[in-house]
Amino acid sequence: MAKNRKPDADRLRISQRIDQRMPNPGRRQMSPTEWAIKGELFMNCSCDVFCPCVVSLGKHPPTEGDCKAWMAIIIDEGHFEGEDLSGLRIGLMVEIPGRMAEGNWKVAAYVDERASGKAYNGILQIFSGAAGGTTGLFTMLVSEIIGAERAPVQIERDGNRRRITIGRKIEGEIEAITGASRDEPVMITNSKYWMGPDIVAARGLKSKVRDYGRIWDFGGKSAEICAIDWKGPNP
């Protein structure tokens, strides 16, 4: 007698079976593909204001000896192999034991729950470095991906303030530091920083991380805001 089998329609594709855990980066290889995203990245870390990594390009030690951070990414326009990524939001939790440029990063990813299966998989490929291009260096810097999941990522942009909420796992709010002119924030321009050339200096207002056994609070610590224009490798 033939065994009862579920129809193929009930089977989830591989890209939809990795919501909880990504492959070990030690086994991950770069597979360059066509992608692009434009939008904004803002973050808050454990360094005192202002984080030395921007100007030193990750060669200066973090002010506390190691670096703990959350990052928020808003994709205003984007695609991965023809799949639209526009409007999606991503949160990252990042832990770096020393100088940023020396690697050994541990990362957890929270991907907008509205993302399609292909978009979800594409975002993980981009932010793990596997898709090559602007973020390809992550294959060398990230030693462990401690988790990847779909989540209700909420991000707000309100004047000089930015907010991210991922349930009770990440609750962050930062504010740009104003300069001599109250209408303009303090900015590092024309840098070679991996995120982008122009970085707005900011400070954490409310900033808590509670996940994967980590309990962090970055209130009053260094923060950054950066417009991003990232893409895959040239064909």
Side-chain angles (χ1 to χ4, degrees):
M1 181 181 295
K3 295 182 179 180
N4 293 329
R5 301 179 62 180
K6 292 183 179 180
D8 289 346
D10 290 343
R11 296 179 182 175
L12 293 178
R13 295 177 297 181
I14 292 176
S15 64
Q16 295 172 305
R17 296 205 301 265
I18 58 177
D19 282 4
Q20 299 303 319
R21 190 72 59 172
M22 287 179 63
N24 187 315
R27 299 190 298 270
R28 191 176 72 244
Q29 297 181 350
M30 193 183 300
S31 300
T33 190
E34 194 274 331
W35 64 272
I37 58 176
K38 291 183 180 181
E40 185 177 87
L41 183 153
F42 62 93
M43 61 173 289
N44 195 184
C45 73
S46 55
C47 283
D48 289 332
V49 180
F50 179 64
C51 176
C53 291
V54 175
V55 176
S56 72
L57 304 182
K59 296 178 182 178
H60 191 287
T63 65
E64 302 302 304
D66 61 0
C67 182
K68 304 175 180 68
W70 57 256
M71 299 182 183
I73 299 94
I74 306 170
I75 302 177
D76 293 321
E77 301 175 30
H79 62 271
F80 177 86
E81 294 183 340
E83 185 75 8
D84 188 21
L85 305 179
S86 302
L88 297 180
R89 280 97 166 95
I90 302 100
L92 300 176
M93 183 178 75
V94 183
E95 188 173 48
I96 305 171
R99 292 178 176 86
M100 178 179 286
E102 293 178 352
N104 293 318
W105 300 16
K106 294 181 180 180
V107 176
Y110 307 87
V111 179
D112 198 320
E113 61 186 357
R114 299 171 301 160
S116 67
K118 184 173 181 179
Y120 174 80
N121 187 52
I123 286 169
L124 295 184
Q125 294 291 314
I126 291 169
F127 285 93
S128 69
T134 306
T135 57
L137 77 167
F138 289 168
T139 58
M140 297 180 289
L141 295 177
V142 178
S143 63
E144 182 181 351
I145 296 174
I146 58 178
E149 61 188 74
R150 296 177 186 273
V153 182
Q154 300 178 26
I155 293 177
E156 299 175 60
R157 291 180 280 190
D158 180 14
N160 283 335
R161 293 194 177 191
R162 302 289 187 273
R163 303 178 188 89
I164 181 172
T165 304
I166 306 176
R168 298 184 64 184
K169 297 178 179 181
I170 299 179
E171 298 175 280
E173 181 175 5
I174 67 173
E175 184 174 36
I177 299 172
T178 54
S181 169
R182 299 291 297 177
D183 297 329
E184 297 292 335
V186 173
M187 179 178 289
I188 305 296
T189 62
N190 195 35
S191 77
K192 294 182 179 180
Y193 201 42
W194 69 270
M195 293 194 315
D198 302 320
I199 309 294
V200 174
R203 179 183 287 108
L205 299 178
K206 171 187 176 183
S207 191
K208 295 183 179 180
V209 176
R210 302 287 187 275
D211 205 9
Y212 295 103
R214 277 75 171 172
I215 301 177
W216 301 339
D217 190 337
F218 305 142
K221 295 292 187 174
S222 185
E224 301 162 19
I225 304 171
C226 177
I228 59 174
D229 185 359
W230 300 346
K231 55 182 67 66
N234 294 326

